[in-house]
Amino acid sequence: MPTFVYMTNCDGCGYCVDICPSDIMHIDPTYRRAYNAEPNMCWECYSCVKACPQQAIDCRGYADFAPLGHSVRVLREDQKGTVSWRIKFRDGREKNFVSPIRTTPWGSIKGPSDYMPPAAAALNSQELAHEPEALKVEVLPTLARSRFKKGLVS
Ligand code: SF4
Ligand code: SF4
């Protein structure tokens, strides 16, 4: 579900522009409000929805998620650390979901350029750059054979 902006709620702070991994949230130079410039390129990651302090960003619902006539409203509550989603169907039924938002301070997560460049030998590793230390674990979890159901080929 690509996102869209209620321009009357947006104050043009630009958080959604900064956080969008697809670089499609733009500030309109005339109205100084954000808009999704290419909804078909939206990753549907909802980072912008969670980052918006004005609850100005909502989602277009796909027919398989919420049939025509529905609405999808999003409410970010910083104090609770949650984002609430309300799906309202055209027959009046509602579905509500609550999901957590990040609790670390804004800007406190290091970017790739804040780490030392990986050694060339790391190209032969299956780990991604700066794993596992960037994930704050000593080793990555692996699926041990003993965790498979009995009867599978050993
Ligand atoms: Fe960008 Fe993700 Fe928002 Fe889509 S949902 S506009 S990709 S931040
Ligand atoms: Fe507007 Fe919200 Fe984007 Fe800020 S984060 S520019 S208020 S849509």
Side-chain angles (χ1 to χ4, degrees):
M1 302 182 295
T3 58
F4 67 96
V5 177
Y6 288 107
M7 283 200 166
T8 48
N9 291 355
C10 172
D11 66 4
C13 69
Y15 284 170
C16 58
V17 178
D18 291 344
I19 206 165
C20 177
S22 194
D23 198 21
I24 56 174
M25 292 303 280
H26 293 208
I27 299 287
D28 184 289
T30 303
Y31 298 108
R32 303 299 303 156
R33 300 290 182 264
Y35 67 102
N36 186 332
E38 280 189 90
N40 57 333
M41 299 301 287
C42 179
W43 294 16
E44 303 170 10
C45 67
Y46 305 133
S47 300
C48 58
V49 173
K50 296 174 191 169
C52 177
Q54 304 298 332
Q55 286 88 50
I57 307 178
D58 267 7
C59 316
R60 301 174 200 274
Y62 287 143
D64 58 351
F65 174 69
L68 287 176
H70 70 282
S71 67
V72 184
R73 291 289 306 158
V74 185
L75 175 64
R76 166 181 152 144
E77 294 180 281
D78 282 340
Q79 293 77 13
K80 292 188 195 169
T82 59
V83 175
S84 303
W85 310 78
R86 171 170 296 168
I87 318 298
K88 193 164 183 184
F89 295 91
R90 57 182 168 176
D91 63 3
R93 281 178 304 137
E94 282 186 10
K95 291 197 174 187
N96 294 282
F97 308 90
V98 180
S99 55
I101 55 176
R102 57 179 290 173
T103 53
T104 46
W106 188 266
S108 65
I109 294 180
K110 291 202 286 185
S113 59
D114 298 322
Y115 290 89
M116 292 290 289
L123 282 172
N124 300 321
S125 164
Q126 294 203 19
E127 293 176 350
L128 298 178
H130 316 300
E131 283 183 348
E133 62 272 17
L135 299 175
K136 301 190 186 337
V137 294
E138 287 181 18
V139 288
L140 292 180
T142 55
L143 191 56
R145 280 189 183 280
S146 58
R147 295 184 61 193
F148 283 109
K149 280 184 188 166
K150 245 181 158 180
L152 290 183
V153 180
S154 58

